[in-house]
Amino acid sequence: YVSDNTSLAQFDRLVLPWVKTVAEKRPVKIVDLCCCFCNTTLAVVHGMSSSEIIECWSDSVKCHVPTKPRRFPAEVTGFDISPNSLGYAKNAGILDNIVCMDLN
């Protein structure tokens, strides 16, 4: 699963202006439910396109750090059933907080 460019464009058009206003005062709290390896967070928080996300996963070195910084101050919490994916995303700096649980 890779977040598509349409999702990024809709976020940028509808949500990003508000987020930037809030981020002037405090970090924006972002929740990524069923986040797995956080492709949606890479898209909306880091502004990465589908091709940039795919490139990020292209080898075992590139995948350890997002190729783009966060576009705004954020506190990102990821929820997922997989402790391995959550641990990876936290170590890579994609997530700040993790919650391992079954959301089914």
Side-chain angles (χ1 to χ4, degrees):
Y1 165 76
V2 174
S3 187
D4 63 35
N5 292 329
T6 302
S7 298
L8 175 58
Q10 293 300 324
F11 179 88
D12 285 358
R13 184 174 69 85
L14 299 171
V15 182
L16 188 59
W18 173 81
V19 165
K20 287 186 173 182
T21 301
V22 171
E24 290 175 2
K25 300 175 187 110
R26 61 175 171 76
V28 178
K29 293 184 185 237
I30 303 286
V31 173
D32 192 341
L33 294 174
C34 302
C35 61
C36 192
F37 293 102
C38 302
N39 290 325
T40 301
T41 295
L42 290 172
V44 299
V45 176
H46 295 264
M48 294 173 66
S49 67
S50 296
S51 59
E52 290 169 325
I53 294 169
I54 291 167
E55 179 64 23
C56 181
W57 298 120
S58 66
D59 68 49
S60 61
V61 175
K62 291 179 185 178
C63 69
H64 288 284
V65 178
T67 55
K68 285 186 163 179
R70 291 180 177 181
R71 302 190 287 172
F72 49 85
E75 180 183 344
V76 185
T77 301
F79 289 76
D80 201 83
I81 194 169
S82 170
N84 291 336
S85 65
L86 290 168
Y88 154 77
K90 183 155 173 100
N91 290 334
I94 302 167
L95 296 175
D96 301 303
N97 308 299
I98 57 174
V99 179
C100 190
M101 64 184 295
D102 185 348
L103 292 170
N104 292 318

